Amino acid sequence: MPRGPVDSSRIPRFAGPATFARLPRLSEVGQAEVAVVGVPFDTGVSYRPGARFGPAAVREASRLLRPYHPELDVSPFEHVQVADAGDIACNPFNIEEAVETIADAASELLAGGAKPVTIGGDHTIALPLLRAISRVHGPVALLHFDAHLDTWDTYFGAAYTHGTPFRRAVEEGIVDTEALSHVGIRGPLYGRRDLEEDRRLGFGILTSRDVMRRGVDEVVDVLRQRVGERPLYVSIDIDVLDPAHAPGTGTPEAGGLTSRELLEILRGLAGCNLVGADVVEVAPAYDHAEITSIAASHVAYDLVSLMALREKP
């Protein structure tokens, strides 16, 4: 029988340690099917720093999450053991070393039978997470929710930054180029070449405007057709949301998705073979009333619920 969250009718939500959704630590249960893990790393950012404090902020905002998901009709903490695996501590002064540390730590979680739902941290961390996932599943389908493409080549000559992880992932052959999609892209680019190079890498794009004009159901249909039954990794930069819904992030862009649209798209992926996910770029220093952290905690909860739903009898 899985061990669930602390009973909020017996211990107030504002009391006790802020594990994700008040779940047990991985060390307390020994093994879990889903592990929520933090990566407090933001050395790869190109503008505002502060996402290193994202995992703590998201955990704090997750105190109000409840154990039953009515839209998906699943009680995720009853069907599988979900645990908080703490943080992956990595070198904040050496990006290459940090990338290796993150990949190795994620591989350990996977070797223990856990699917990782990772809270960042900046988007640099998606690359080592994908490396670890691909060691188990081979090249995976990727759904990337973001205002930005994150397929640029380098910044100031650096190959590993929060704007380059998915170019590196394609170059390394760890993602399935027949099943790559961006969702929520918007805002100015450096030039038309950005889009041309992105298409050459194999990505399809559903812009924020597409979501607004075509609607959630059509967007979900397009994504499901592209993913099929492949092992799927979902990477979510919280700046896919409009700054009205996520002000606390490093590179905000006007005209984004609402939190409702993002959650509904995720719920439309029910039944897909989700093998790993991340929620990144929460920078609480720029947040107001925990708006961004609350949105990110609900996104992470939906990702956990999707994983549990696939295991539901």
Side-chain angles (χ1 to χ4, degrees):
M1 177 94 178
R3 178 176 164 185
V6 172
D7 185 350
S8 60
S9 69
R10 297 173 63 87
I11 300 176
R13 296 182 187 282
F14 44 81
T19 58
F20 182 79
R22 309 185 81 201
L23 287 160
R25 295 182 177 90
L26 183 58
S27 59
E28 296 175 304
V29 295
Q31 189 172 11
E33 285 81 17
V34 179
V36 180
V37 59
V39 182
F41 173 87
D42 65 0
T43 309
V45 300
S46 58
Y47 192 45
R48 293 173 172 173
R52 65 182 62 184
F53 300 108
V58 174
R59 287 186 175 105
E60 188 65 35
S62 74
R63 287 179 179 271
L64 195 58
L65 293 171
R66 299 177 181 88
Y68 174 64
H69 194 310
E71 287 83 4
L72 292 175
D73 188 25
V74 65
S75 296
F77 311 137
E78 290 183 9
H79 294 298
V80 296
Q81 180 64 66
V82 186
D84 190 319
D87 288 340
I88 297 172
C90 48
N91 191 335
F93 304 107
N94 187 314
I95 294 179
E96 287 80 6
E97 181 183 321
V99 165
E100 292 180 5
T101 299
I102 295 164
D104 290 343
S107 290
E108 286 185 23
L109 287 174
L110 288 158
K115 295 180 180 178
V117 174
T118 308
I119 306 168
D122 75 54
H123 224 153
T124 309
I125 72 172
L127 177 62
L129 294 170
L130 282 166
R131 286 177 178 173
I133 290 285
S134 70
R135 292 169 188 166
V136 177
H137 299 281
V140 293
L142 171 68
L143 297 185
H144 169 222
F145 293 80
D146 203 322
H148 311 97
L149 299 169
D150 289 1
T151 52
W152 287 282
D153 191 9
T154 62
Y155 281 86
F156 297 91
Y160 301 124
T161 77
H162 75 161
T164 65
F166 302 116
R167 179 183 287 251
R168 301 286 92 81
V170 171
E171 291 171 349
E172 294 179 15
I174 57 179
V175 290
D176 186 337
T177 54
E178 297 296 315
L180 306 178
S181 296
H182 302 297
V183 184
I185 303 300
R186 63 188 187 278
L189 298 169
Y190 296 107
R192 185 188 298 269
R193 181 181 175 184
D194 293 345
L195 294 172
E196 294 169 351
E197 291 190 357
D198 192 78
R199 280 192 292 269
R200 179 177 57 79
L201 293 170
F203 281 89
I205 297 177
L206 288 163
T207 66
S208 179
R209 184 183 186 190
D210 289 331
V211 174
M212 183 269 290
R213 291 186 175 275
R214 299 172 67 175
V216 166
D217 290 344
E218 185 174 334
V219 167
V220 167
D221 286 343
V222 170
L223 296 178
R224 292 188 70 104
Q225 288 176 27
R226 194 161 178 83
V227 169
E229 290 298 315
R230 297 174 176 89
L232 170 64
Y233 189 88
V234 174
S235 186
I236 301 173
D237 187 325
I238 205 65
D239 74 20
V240 73
L241 300 179
D242 189 87
H245 297 265
T249 193
T251 48
E253 304 279 358
L257 274 61
T258 67
S259 53
R260 178 174 58 238
E261 287 172 329
L262 175 57
L263 291 170
E264 284 300 309
I265 293 171
L266 291 176
R267 292 163 188 170
L269 302 176
C272 289
N273 184 19
L274 184 58
V275 295
D278 64 60
V279 185
V280 300
E281 301 283 356
V282 174
Y286 304 99
D287 208 3
H288 307 286
E290 295 185 302
I291 293 171
T292 312
S293 300
I294 290 168
S297 71
H298 279 262
V299 167
Y301 173 69
D302 270 43
L303 292 166
V304 170
S305 297
L306 288 170
M307 291 176 176
L309 184 64
R310 190 167 170 96
E311 305 300 324
K312 184 178 177 181

